[in-house]
Structures are given as C-alpha cells and as structure tokens.
Amino acid sequence: MSIDKKKVVVALSGGIDSSVTALMLQKQGYEVIGLTGKMIDSLSADIIINNAKSVADKLGIEFHVFDAVEKFNDKVINYFVNSYKIGKTPNPCIMCNQYIKWGLLFDYAVNQLEADYFATGHYAEIRFADGTYKLYPAKDEHKDQLYFLYRLGQKQLSKTIFPLSSYNKSEVKKIAADYDLPVKDSKESQDICFIQKPLNTKKFLYDKFGIQKGDFIDVLTGKKWGEHNGSYMYTIGQRKGIGIAAPYPLYVIDIDSSKNIVYVGRDEDNYRKNLKLVDLNFTYDIKKTEFDALIKIRYNMDFKKAHIRVLRDFVDVEFYEPVNSITNGQSGVLYDIDDYHLIGGGFIVK
C-alpha cells in the first residue's frame, strides 16, 4: 500500500507540536484526520478545540472532537486528587496518556475512523527491530518525553507515529511560522491542564479538602516543629513553603496522611538506596529478571544507575549511589543502560 493511501489520525491539542505533526504527515502524503479530546467542561477546553479546528481548517483536513470528560474526570482528575489525599504525589500526564490519548482517542481513531496510524506531537522515537517496537529518546535532549510514555505497549507502539523525533523545539517553531499555522505564536501548555490560572495545585487541593490542622514532626527526634494546614499540601523533598523557623533548612522527608503528619528533617535525611515499583508496565517482553538499568524517579532529573530485580508483583530497585526525594506515587521509569531506550516502569513505593 502506498503512503498516500495510509490514513493517520493526529491528536490535535491546539498547540504547536501537534499542529506541526499534522502538517508534516500531510506533506509526507498521508491522509490526515485531526482529533481533539474534550477533557473538561470549561472555557479553556473550548479554546483548545477552537485552536485545533483552526489548524485543521488551515490544512484542509477532516476534524473530530471526542467527548472524554467523564473518563478524564475518573482516570485523571480523581486519581490526582485521591493521590494527594493519601500522601502520594501523582503523575496526571502519565494517566492521561494511558487512558485518554492511547486509550479513548487511540481506540476511536483505529476502530471508528479506521486509521492505519495514530500520531501525536511527543518528542520520542519508535524503532522496530527483531519483531519488537521500542521507544528511544528524540533528538531534542531537553524534550525527553519517554518518561510520560512508559505505560504504552506493543499494541499502541505498532500503530503510533512520532514525526517530531528528529527535530528540536526551535525547528518545530520555525516550521509553524514558515507555514503560518494559526498556533505559531502559542505558548507551551501548562503541566496540569485541568488547573487553570489563577488556581495552582495548592489552591485546587485546598478547595477540595479545606484546612486540616496537623503537625510537623522531626523524622529523627520526634520533636514537633509546628503545625500545618493539611498534609495533602506537601510532597517529599519540598523545602519552600514549609514556613518553619529553624537553625537549618528543613525538608519534607515523609508524609503520614492517615495521621495528618508531615515529617521533616535535614537534606541528608532524604537520601535512600532502595525502592519498589508496583503496577508495572513493560513496553515489550523483557527476557531478564535481574539486570542493571538507568532509572528516573521524576521527569526533570538525571539518569541514575540501579540494579533491578523483577519479581512477581513488583520490581526491586537498588541504586548504586543514594538518591534524594524518593516519592510515593511518582513513577520510576527504567531505561536501557547502553542505548537509553525505554524498558518500562511502575509506581514508587518506598
């Protein structure tokens, strides 16, 4: 089948990356269809849809809107709120990718729109070798988005295209300007799309939970340092916003949501060498159950080398050097130690 008969559905987010993705695929001869998921009932969601439609109109492509409000509320927003409630720090983008983009939208594209492929503006590269699809880092080292894609598997990767893998962000912006795309001047999207200014995460959660007086307790001595307005307002490793006068900087070391206690201590108290990963997902079938790998325990950190043991219900991770701020609920994502391709990951349990 020639490329000009291949149909690809592009998840249009109303931003530059997905818009240039649609343009590139059109230039390559694909039949391109735009698809935007409506995630929340709000003015901002309507703006996203209108921006995406303006791009589709500019390119002269078919355009669809998928109402994902109910599923997004269940799988992303409720997950986000409930994680903080029980002392965990969530990754809403990872859940959105699993259940919405490569869940509802992917299935709709393949099953209803009969697309051969599904495409997004993520910066990642898919390679196929020896019957297996693997995810590799994109050219732009500042846009490593593999961390957010570790819940994908062979089914999704076999029908996914990432046209931006060999471009950096500045090149993508130039393409948008050269072709006068309607979104050429748009800013980077927010990290948490369902929390709109002037709200931030703390205010959003405060509206959900209100004031819940609790104690700051020293993790080593048991000394009470002061009171807080809710353990849900804090995350492991946090220094700013604690508001305690102490002879040395205090950091959040642990959170006991059942007792509404935030444990604090010195920076050196925050380092550990071990963690477990649960609710695992590997992007392909791994052959070994014990190996060395690189791992990230949050998106914006450097790789750390660790020894991995894959057990029945969890992965045991032992770092070669202690790492700080291991946080319950965040994702630990594994990468190949030689070529940095994505292996898989799970949710952190300390």
Side-chain angles (χ1 to χ4, degrees):
M1 182 181 283
S2 62
I3 194 172
D4 61 356
K5 292 182 181 177
K6 291 282 189 179
K7 183 188 294 186
V8 59
V9 169
V10 178
L12 289 177
S13 66
I16 290 177
D17 293 333
S18 64
S19 301
V20 171
T21 292
L23 171 69
M24 285 180 172
L25 292 171
Q26 186 183 55
K27 293 292 182 185
Q28 291 171 21
Y30 288 92
E31 177 190 346
V32 179
I33 297 174
L35 176 62
T36 299
K38 182 175 183 179
M39 309 304 184
I40 54 178
D41 284 317
S42 70
L43 177 60
S44 61
D46 293 337
I47 291 172
I48 288 172
I49 292 169
N50 289 335
N51 289 345
K53 186 178 187 308
S54 69
V55 172
D57 290 344
K58 170 79 174 181
L59 299 177
I61 62 174
E62 188 179 323
F63 179 67
H64 296 262
V65 177
F66 188 97
D67 187 340
V69 171
E70 184 176 349
K71 189 76 170 275
F72 187 83
N73 187 67
D74 178 35
K75 294 297 187 180
V76 181
I77 299 178
N78 286 346
Y79 148 80
F80 179 84
V81 171
N82 290 334
S83 293
Y84 277 106
K85 186 177 182 180
I86 59 175
K88 296 181 178 180
T89 303
N91 282 125
C93 292
I94 289 172
M95 293 293 97
C96 181
N97 283 337
Q98 178 179 357
Y99 291 107
I100 309 301
K101 289 177 184 171
W102 278 272
L104 291 179
L105 299 187
F106 178 89
D107 290 344
Y108 181 74
V110 172
N111 299 327
Q112 301 300 316
L113 299 178
E114 299 181 334
D116 298 291
Y117 298 108
F118 179 73
T120 73
H122 284 83
Y123 289 79
E125 180 184 356
I126 299 173
R127 298 181 195 171
F128 180 71
D130 301 324
T132 301
Y133 294 90
K134 293 182 180 179
L135 272 167
Y136 287 80
K139 171 186 172 182
D140 191 338
E141 61 184 22
H142 301 295
K143 296 286 287 185
D144 168 35
Q145 294 184 304
L146 299 191
Y147 182 87
F148 299 107
L149 300 172
Y150 83 89
R151 307 296 295 179
L152 305 188
Q154 292 296 292
K155 173 188 171 184
Q156 292 80 20
L157 294 179
S158 68
K159 287 185 174 291
T160 295
I161 303 176
F162 293 130
L164 304 187
S165 62
S166 58
Y167 294 84
N168 60 42
K169 185 70 180 192
S170 61
E171 291 170 328
V172 171
K173 287 182 176 179
K174 186 176 186 304
I175 293 170
D178 288 346
Y179 283 90
D180 195 29
L181 293 179
V183 295
K184 63 183 185 294
D185 297 319
S186 66
K187 298 178 181 179
E188 288 282 288
S189 59
Q190 297 175 242
D191 288 338
I192 304 176
C193 65
F194 54 88
I195 299 179
Q196 299 296 316
K197 293 180 179 179
L199 280 182
N200 55 27
T201 297
K202 183 172 283 190
K203 291 177 182 175
F204 177 85
L205 294 171
Y206 179 80
D207 287 345
K208 299 287 183 182
F209 301 130
I211 292 177
Q212 298 178 6
K213 289 290 185 181
D215 294 332
F216 285 114
I217 301 294
D218 192 289
V219 70
L220 295 182
T221 67
K223 170 186 175 180
K224 178 178 175 179
W225 280 100
E227 290 187 344
H228 58 74
N229 289 326
S231 63
Y232 65 83
M233 294 183 177
Y234 300 90
T235 188
I236 306 299
Q238 180 176 335
R239 178 185 173 187
K240 293 181 179 180
I242 295 178
I244 298 174
Y248 47 82
L250 289 176
Y251 296 79
V252 175
I253 307 298
D254 206 355
I255 297 169
D256 186 338
S257 61
S258 64
K259 297 179 181 178
N260 197 24
I261 293 174
V262 176
Y263 290 97
V264 295
R266 301 172 190 248
D267 183 42
E268 55 263 34
D269 299 329
N270 232 342
Y271 283 78
R272 295 168 178 257
K273 288 191 70 174
N274 296 88
L275 61 81
K276 289 183 173 63
L277 300 177
V278 298
D279 193 6
L280 307 168
N281 185 74
F282 296 102
T283 57
Y284 60 91
D285 289 333
I286 59 172
K287 308 300 181 186
K288 299 178 182 178
T289 57
E290 193 163 345
F291 53 90
D292 283 348
L294 300 174
I295 181 171
K296 285 187 176 187
I297 58 170
R298 52 191 170 273
Y299 167 61
N300 58 344
M301 70 172 288
D302 295 329
F303 293 110
K304 302 295 181 182
K305 184 181 177 182
H307 188 69
I308 309 300
R309 290 191 304 136
V310 182
L311 304 173
R312 195 175 90 174
D313 297 321
F314 65 92
V315 165
D316 182 74
V317 177
E318 182 175 357
F319 292 96
Y320 280 84
E321 299 290 340
V323 298
N324 71 324
S325 304
I326 295 174
T327 306
N328 283 330
Q330 285 280 289
S331 288
V333 180
L334 308 176
Y335 303 76
D336 185 84
I337 203 163
D338 295 317
D339 64 10
Y340 298 92
H341 76 256
L342 180 69
I343 298 172
F347 295 103
I348 294 171
V349 177
K350 292 200 294 181

